[in-house]
Amino acid sequence: MNEYGYIHILINPSFKEDWIKLIVTENPILSESDLRQNREIPLPYVVYATIQIKDEDITCLYSEFEARTAIDYITQVETFFNISPKQALEVFYDIAFANHLKMEISIYDNDLIHVLLFDRGIQNVLEVFDEEIEYEESDFESR
């Protein structure tokens, strides 16, 4: 059993800018098939950010996110939300802060990964660092 769970915030160039898809998984990295789940969508999903959180806290974080944003479902499929990725991160942060949860958020921005570490109940970011990353051509779509 994994100690951590992950919530991936996905965007799609064929969607409006304030539409996201969420995937909750035990895997820190999504496969190409995860990013191309629906053949009706012309372009693959792109991972905007990944939240790493202890397994015991992931249900609290995701359930409360759904409760706060349920009015913003795009479809009856619960994983699509009418909220910008940046606003989604703000909601996740607010929930983590209110519930004293510890989480790590990796935001993928072109060639950089911004990693934010939040400790239980501490409002300030503990650490922010950027890492240059090099992509294999096959990896490019998954970031």
Side-chain angles (χ1 to χ4, degrees):
M1 185 173 144
N2 288 340
E3 184 180 348
Y4 293 98
Y6 301 87
I7 299 174
H8 300 280
I9 300 174
L10 307 181
I11 55 176
N12 192 300
S14 63
F15 288 174
K16 294 181 180 181
E17 289 183 15
D18 61 348
W19 287 8
I20 64 165
K21 176 179 174 66
L22 297 180
I23 294 181
V24 178
T25 180
E26 294 179 348
N27 300 318
I29 298 174
L30 295 176
S31 69
E32 192 170 325
S33 64
D34 290 329
L35 299 174
R36 289 197 163 275
Q37 287 183 343
N38 188 336
R39 293 176 192 245
E40 295 173 11
I41 297 172
L43 299 169
Y45 292 101
V46 176
V47 179
Y48 175 82
T50 299
I51 299 169
Q52 175 184 310
I53 189 164
K54 287 200 174 266
D55 253 357
E56 67 237 27
D57 297 333
I58 200 164
T59 302
C60 170
L61 185 64
Y62 187 79
S63 297
E64 194 162 331
F65 180 86
E66 277 189 317
R68 289 186 186 193
T69 59
I71 196 166
D72 298 322
Y73 285 152
I74 292 172
T75 67
Q76 294 301 325
V77 178
E78 298 173 4
T79 59
F80 289 94
F81 297 88
N82 185 12
I83 187 171
S84 75
K86 185 177 179 181
Q87 289 172 317
L89 285 177
E90 290 171 3
V91 172
F92 279 121
Y93 171 76
D94 288 345
I95 295 165
F97 179 71
N99 292 286
H100 304 286
L101 304 177
K102 183 176 182 178
M103 67 180 179
E104 177 180 306
I105 300 174
S106 299
I107 302 169
Y108 305 102
D109 179 20
N110 296 323
D111 293 340
L112 297 175
I113 301 175
H114 306 279
V115 179
L116 311 173
L117 302 174
F118 299 94
D119 205 347
R120 301 176 188 274
I122 297 175
Q123 189 166 3
N124 296 326
V125 175
L126 296 178
E127 216 178 304
V128 179
F129 56 92
D130 297 332
E131 297 177 12
E132 285 195 32
I133 52 174
E134 294 186 23
Y135 295 110
E136 298 287 327
E137 194 159 319
S138 61
D139 293 339
F140 187 74
E141 293 177 349
S142 65
R143 294 281 184 236

